[in-house]
Short mmCIF file of all heavy atoms in Angstrom, two decimals:
data_model
loop_
_atom_site.label_atom_id
_atom_site.label_comp_id
_atom_site.label_asym_id
_atom_site.label_seq_id
_atom_site.Cartn_x
_atom_site.Cartn_y
_atom_site.Cartn_z
N ALA A 556 -18.05 29.47 99.72
CA ALA A 556 -18.48 28.28 98.96
C ALA A 556 -19.81 28.59 98.32
O ALA A 556 -20.81 27.91 98.55
CB ALA A 556 -18.53 27.06 99.86
N PHE A 557 -19.87 29.64 97.48
CA PHE A 557 -21.13 30.06 96.90
C PHE A 557 -21.72 29.04 95.92
O PHE A 557 -22.89 28.94 95.75
CB PHE A 557 -20.95 31.38 96.14
CG PHE A 557 -20.34 32.47 96.99
CD1 PHE A 557 -19.32 33.32 96.49
CD2 PHE A 557 -20.73 32.65 98.32
CE1 PHE A 557 -18.79 34.28 97.25
CE2 PHE A 557 -20.17 33.65 99.08
CZ PHE A 557 -19.19 34.46 98.56
N HIS A 558 -20.84 28.21 95.29
CA HIS A 558 -21.29 27.23 94.33
C HIS A 558 -22.09 26.13 94.98
O HIS A 558 -22.79 25.37 94.29
CB HIS A 558 -20.08 26.63 93.57
CG HIS A 558 -19.12 25.93 94.48
ND1 HIS A 558 -18.24 26.60 95.31
CD2 HIS A 558 -18.94 24.58 94.71
CE1 HIS A 558 -17.51 25.69 95.98
NE2 HIS A 558 -17.91 24.48 95.64
N MET A 559 -21.94 25.98 96.33
CA MET A 559 -22.66 24.89 97.04
C MET A 559 -24.08 25.31 97.44
O MET A 559 -24.80 24.49 98.02
CB MET A 559 -21.83 24.47 98.24
CG MET A 559 -20.45 23.94 97.89
SD MET A 559 -19.47 23.58 99.39
CE MET A 559 -20.52 22.42 100.20
N MET A 560 -24.44 26.55 97.20
CA MET A 560 -25.74 27.01 97.68
C MET A 560 -26.89 26.55 96.78
O MET A 560 -26.73 26.48 95.56
CB MET A 560 -25.75 28.54 97.77
CG MET A 560 -24.76 29.08 98.78
SD MET A 560 -24.81 30.88 98.90
CE MET A 560 -23.51 31.13 100.09
N GLU A 561 -27.97 26.21 97.38
CA GLU A 561 -29.16 25.81 96.65
C GLU A 561 -29.91 27.08 96.17
O GLU A 561 -29.82 28.14 96.73
CB GLU A 561 -30.10 25.01 97.58
CG GLU A 561 -29.48 23.70 98.10
CD GLU A 561 -29.20 22.68 97.03
OE1 GLU A 561 -29.92 22.75 95.98
OE2 GLU A 561 -28.32 21.86 97.22
N GLU A 562 -30.68 26.86 95.07
CA GLU A 562 -31.41 28.00 94.51
C GLU A 562 -32.48 28.51 95.48
O GLU A 562 -32.84 29.66 95.45
CB GLU A 562 -32.11 27.57 93.20
CG GLU A 562 -31.15 27.31 92.06
CD GLU A 562 -31.88 27.04 90.77
OE1 GLU A 562 -33.13 27.04 90.81
OE2 GLU A 562 -31.21 26.82 89.75
N SER A 563 -32.93 27.62 96.37
CA SER A 563 -33.97 28.00 97.34
C SER A 563 -33.45 28.91 98.43
O SER A 563 -34.17 29.60 99.10
CB SER A 563 -34.63 26.78 97.96
OG SER A 563 -33.64 25.99 98.61
N GLU A 564 -32.11 28.89 98.64
CA GLU A 564 -31.50 29.71 99.67
C GLU A 564 -31.45 31.17 99.25
O GLU A 564 -31.44 31.49 98.05
CB GLU A 564 -30.09 29.22 99.99
CG GLU A 564 -30.08 27.83 100.68
CD GLU A 564 -28.67 27.42 101.00
OE1 GLU A 564 -27.89 27.30 100.12
OE2 GLU A 564 -28.40 27.23 102.20
N ASN A 565 -31.39 32.04 100.23
CA ASN A 565 -31.29 33.46 99.92
C ASN A 565 -29.89 33.78 99.48
O ASN A 565 -28.95 33.89 100.27
CB ASN A 565 -31.64 34.24 101.17
CG ASN A 565 -31.49 35.75 100.94
OD1 ASN A 565 -31.43 36.18 99.80
ND2 ASN A 565 -31.46 36.49 102.01
N ILE A 566 -29.73 33.86 98.12
CA ILE A 566 -28.36 34.08 97.64
C ILE A 566 -28.08 35.56 97.37
O ILE A 566 -27.05 35.89 96.80
CB ILE A 566 -28.15 33.28 96.31
CG1 ILE A 566 -29.11 33.78 95.26
CG2 ILE A 566 -28.31 31.80 96.56
CD1 ILE A 566 -28.82 33.19 93.84
N GLY A 567 -29.01 36.47 97.78
CA GLY A 567 -28.75 37.89 97.56
C GLY A 567 -27.54 38.34 98.31
O GLY A 567 -26.69 39.06 97.79
N ILE A 568 -27.39 37.90 99.56
CA ILE A 568 -26.20 38.31 100.35
C ILE A 568 -24.91 37.64 99.78
O ILE A 568 -23.85 38.20 99.82
CB ILE A 568 -26.40 37.96 101.83
CG1 ILE A 568 -25.35 38.69 102.69
CG2 ILE A 568 -26.37 36.45 102.08
CD1 ILE A 568 -25.65 38.61 104.15
N ALA A 569 -25.09 36.43 99.22
CA ALA A 569 -23.95 35.76 98.58
C ALA A 569 -23.47 36.58 97.36
O ALA A 569 -22.30 36.73 97.13
CB ALA A 569 -24.31 34.35 98.13
N ASN A 570 -24.44 37.12 96.59
CA ASN A 570 -24.07 37.97 95.45
C ASN A 570 -23.37 39.22 95.92
O ASN A 570 -22.48 39.72 95.27
CB ASN A 570 -25.33 38.31 94.65
CG ASN A 570 -25.86 37.11 93.92
OD1 ASN A 570 -25.13 36.16 93.64
ND2 ASN A 570 -27.13 37.13 93.59
N ALA A 571 -23.79 39.74 97.09
CA ALA A 571 -23.12 40.92 97.64
C ALA A 571 -21.68 40.60 97.98
O ALA A 571 -20.76 41.42 97.77
CB ALA A 571 -23.88 41.43 98.86
N PHE A 572 -21.45 39.39 98.55
CA PHE A 572 -20.09 38.92 98.83
C PHE A 572 -19.24 38.92 97.54
O PHE A 572 -18.13 39.42 97.49
CB PHE A 572 -20.11 37.56 99.46
CG PHE A 572 -20.16 37.52 100.93
CD1 PHE A 572 -21.18 38.19 101.63
CD2 PHE A 572 -19.23 36.88 101.69
CE1 PHE A 572 -21.25 38.18 103.01
CE2 PHE A 572 -19.28 36.84 103.09
CZ PHE A 572 -20.29 37.50 103.73
N THR A 573 -19.83 38.31 96.51
CA THR A 573 -19.15 38.19 95.22
C THR A 573 -18.79 39.57 94.71
O THR A 573 -17.66 39.77 94.16
CB THR A 573 -20.05 37.46 94.22
OG1 THR A 573 -20.40 36.17 94.74
CG2 THR A 573 -19.32 37.28 92.89
N ARG A 574 -19.70 40.52 94.81
CA ARG A 574 -19.42 41.90 94.29
C ARG A 574 -18.29 42.53 95.09
O ARG A 574 -17.42 43.23 94.45
CB ARG A 574 -20.72 42.71 94.47
CG ARG A 574 -20.67 44.09 93.84
CD ARG A 574 -22.09 44.62 93.66
NE ARG A 574 -22.05 46.02 93.29
CZ ARG A 574 -22.44 47.03 94.04
NH1 ARG A 574 -22.87 46.76 95.27
NH2 ARG A 574 -22.43 48.26 93.61
N LEU A 575 -18.20 42.30 96.37
CA LEU A 575 -17.11 42.84 97.16
C LEU A 575 -15.75 42.33 96.67
O LEU A 575 -14.81 43.10 96.46
CB LEU A 575 -17.28 42.45 98.64
CG LEU A 575 -18.07 43.39 99.54
CD1 LEU A 575 -18.42 42.72 100.86
CD2 LEU A 575 -17.32 44.69 99.74
N PHE A 576 -15.68 41.02 96.41
CA PHE A 576 -14.43 40.43 95.98
C PHE A 576 -14.08 40.83 94.55
O PHE A 576 -12.92 40.90 94.19
CB PHE A 576 -14.47 38.90 96.11
CG PHE A 576 -14.48 38.41 97.52
CD1 PHE A 576 -15.58 37.75 98.07
CD2 PHE A 576 -13.39 38.66 98.36
CE1 PHE A 576 -15.60 37.33 99.40
CE2 PHE A 576 -13.39 38.24 99.68
CZ PHE A 576 -14.50 37.59 100.20
#
Side-chain angles (χ1 to χ4, degrees):
F557 306 137
H558 62 283
M559 299 175 58
M560 296 182 182
E561 299 293 335
E562 292 185 358
S563 59
E564 292 183 299
N565 177 15
I566 63 172
I568 195 169
N570 289 337
F572 269 57
T573 303
R574 188 162 170 250
L575 271 169
F576 290 114

